[in-house]
Amino acid sequence: MPIPRIATVSVAALAALTLAACQGGPSPDPTSSEPASGPSLRMLVDGTPAEVDVLQTQVDAWSETSGSDVRIVLASDLEQQLAESFANANPPDVFALPTTSLERYEGYLEPYGRFADAGDIVPSLLDVVSDGSELQCVPRSADATTLAISEQAWADAGLTDADVPTTWEQLETIAGALTTDDAAGLAIDPDAEHLGALLAQAGGALVDESGAVADSPENASALDLAVRMHDAGALAWPSDLGASSAAAAFATGEAAMAYVDLGDLLAAEAAAPAPSETPDPTSSDEPERIEPTETLDASDAPESEGVDESADPSASPDASASTDSAPDAAALLDGVRLVPLPAGPANAAAFASSSCWAIPADTRTGDEARDLIAFLTQAGQQVELADATGTVPVTTTAGATFAEQHPERAAVVAAVAGGADMATVLGPAEATDALDETLATLASAEPGEADVAALLADLQTRLEQQLE
C-alpha cells in the first residue's frame, strides 16, 4: 500500500503552462558550430570547476564517436537556473537534478525508458528514480552518511580497532571516552538526514500506510539516546561548538567523531585552516559566482525552494573557462577513518542521497541525450568522475573498483550500497521538513530541558493536519 502523500502546492497548472510553451514557443537558436552528423547538446550541471573539467573530457570523448557537440554550463544555482530555463521554454538538453526534486519536476521530464545497465545500478538508488518499469532519470553520483573518526583523538584516548562502535550502546560509551575539555566525543547535525537516521535505525518513521506515526516508541527511543548523550556532554550539536555543521566541527578538531556525508567532509577539510594558520575572512573555497545581469520571471517554472529570483541562468560560467584543480581527496582524509554508522535496534542503514541525469519533456534531442547518459554511466566514466568529486559511483561494478582504488572511501561505497532513501523510510519531503523543525527545537534546548515526548506529540499533530 503506498504511503499517503502529504498535500503540497500543486504544480499541475505550472506544468501545463510550461509544457504548452515548450510545444508552441520559439525553439532554441541553433549554434553556429552544430555538426552535420548530429545536434549540439546543452548540459546544465552543478559542482566545482575541477569536477566539470573531468566531465568535459568525458563528453568530448563521446562527441568524437557520436558527432554531437556538448556545451557544459556550470550553474551557480542549479535549481534556480533550471527553473528559469523551463519558464523560458528553453530547458537544457541534459541536466543534473537532485533526486529530492523529482516530485517537483513531475510532468516536466522525458521518461528515460529502458536502461540497458539498470541492473548494475545500486538498488536503493534505482528505486528512487523508477516509476514502474521506466526510469524517470538515471543516477549520476551518490553519497551517504558514515561515522568519521579522528585517528589522533582515537590514539590519544587509548582506543584500538576493537573499540570501533557498531551499536548504539558502544557509540555512547566511546563518545564519552573521546570527550575532553577541548573536543566533543561526537557531533551530529540536528536534521532529518543525519539525526533522523537514528529514527530509521530504531525502526521508526514519520508517515506510513496508516498515516502519521511520529509519536511512536521507536522515534522516542532514538531521540532519547541523542538527548541522553547531549546531556552527558558526549554529543554536541554544531552550534554548541561554534561550527556551521558537524563536518566543520570535525575538520577543525572540535569533535573527535561526527556523522558526515563524504562531500560535506571533504569540503570542510579543504576549508579548515592548518593549525598554524589564521582563516582569511575574505577568502572562499567556493567556485566564483557570476552576478546576475538581468531579471527573469521564474513564476511559471517548477517551484524551487529558497531560490534567488533575480538570478540569471545565462550568467553561469562556461565550464571550458575553468582551470581550477581539485584537492586530493586522499590527502584531505589523511588522519580520518570512515566507518559504517553504528546499528540501532532495527538496522544500521544510513540515508543515501544522489543526483541524476534528466531529459526535458518533448525534447528533440532525446536519442542523443540518452546515448550520452549511457556513456557517462559506464564504469570507467563513473570511477573517473568520483575521483574528482566528493561522491562515489552509482553502479555496483564501478563502486567495487572505486572502493579498491580508494580504501579511505570504501565505507561510503558500502553505505550507499546498503543505504536507504530518506523519503521512502521516513516520509515525503513535507514530513522530513517538519522533522527538521522539531530537531532544531530539540537542539536549542538546554541540557536537561529537552522534552522528547512533547516534541514528538507536536510533530504528530502537525503531520496529521497536513494529511487531512
Side-chain angles (χ1 to χ4, degrees), residues 4-402:
R5 293 165 62 100
I6 293 179
T8 61
V9 177
S10 173
V11 298
L14 298 178
L17 177 59
T18 302
L19 291 180
C22 289
Q23 294 165 349
S27 301
D29 293 333
T31 61
S32 58
S33 60
E34 182 174 330
S37 56
S40 292
L41 302 181
R42 187 162 45 97
M43 172 185 282
L44 181 66
V45 300
D46 56 354
T48 67
E51 294 168 17
V52 179
D53 283 345
V54 175
L55 181 60
Q56 184 69 64
T57 300
Q58 294 179 342
V59 300
D60 286 347
W62 175 81
S63 294
E64 288 183 6
T65 58
S66 69
S68 293
D69 290 335
V70 180
R71 182 171 71 88
I72 300 177
V73 177
L74 174 56
S76 57
D77 187 329
L78 179 66
E79 292 273 23
Q80 169 69 16
Q81 292 165 220
L82 187 58
E84 290 188 338
S85 73
F86 276 95
N88 288 289
N90 189 25
D93 301 284
V94 182
F95 51 91
L97 181 69
T99 55
T100 52
S101 295
L102 274 174
E103 184 175 346
R104 184 180 303 138
Y105 280 84
E106 185 176 356
Y108 291 83
L109 305 182
E110 182 81 9
Y112 187 94
R114 184 179 180 276
F115 184 61
D117 295 325
D120 195 31
I121 294 175
V122 173
S124 62
L125 305 180
L126 187 63
D127 290 345
V128 175
V129 300
S130 297
D131 183 9
S133 60
E134 279 197 326
L135 298 187
Q136 300 307 297
C137 60
V138 176
R140 168 200 182 200
S141 59
D143 199 352
T145 306
T146 56
L147 176 66
I149 296 173
S150 165
E151 293 181 338
Q152 184 62 57
W154 198 260
D156 290 345
L159 300 172
T160 68
D161 287 351
D163 296 310
V164 173
T166 59
T167 66
W168 280 3
E169 292 77 11
Q170 293 170 357
L171 177 68
E172 190 169 3
T173 299
I174 296 302
L178 288 169
T179 300
T180 67
D181 292 340
D182 299 321
L186 175 67
I188 302 180
D189 291 307
D191 57 25
E193 183 180 359
H194 299 95
L195 187 58
L198 297 181
L199 276 62
Q201 291 180 342
L206 302 176
V207 177
D208 66 12
E209 64 275 7
S210 68
V213 290
D215 60 351
S216 68
E218 293 80 7
N219 290 344
S221 69
L223 296 189
D224 281 340
L225 169 70
V227 169
R228 184 168 65 249
M229 292 179 66
H230 185 259
D231 288 350
L235 166 65
W237 311 123
S239 58
D240 297 336
L241 305 172
S244 59
S245 67
F250 179 84
T252 55
E254 298 293 329
M257 298 189 297
Y259 277 32
V260 295
D261 298 327
L262 177 62
D264 292 341
L265 177 60
L266 291 177
E269 290 284 349
S276 60
E277 292 180 350
T278 301
D280 179 0
T282 65
S283 66
S284 172
D285 292 312
E286 296 183 358
E288 180 181 356
R289 294 175 62 93
I290 307 300
E291 292 300 322
T293 56
E294 66 177 294
T295 300
L296 297 177
D297 181 7
S299 60
D300 293 329
E303 294 184 359
S304 180
E305 298 177 2
V307 298
D308 174 5
E309 300 208 0
S310 67
D312 178 3
S314 66
S316 300
D318 193 311
S320 62
S322 168
T323 58
D324 289 10
S325 59
D328 181 68
L332 291 176
L333 294 178
D334 185 37
V336 178
R337 184 174 183 180
L338 298 177
V339 300
L341 294 184
N347 59 65
F351 291 143
S353 59
S354 64
S355 65
C356 63
W357 292 119
I359 306 170
D362 298 334
T363 178
R364 299 177 302 166
T365 57
D367 291 343
E368 291 79 12
R370 290 181 180 87
D371 189 65
L372 172 58
I373 292 171
F375 177 82
L376 295 175
T377 313
Q378 292 175 1
Q381 316 303 330
Q382 279 277 300
V383 171
E384 283 184 4
L385 191 60
D387 278 338
T389 67
T391 62
V392 297
V394 300
T395 64
T396 54
T397 299
T401 300
F402 186 78

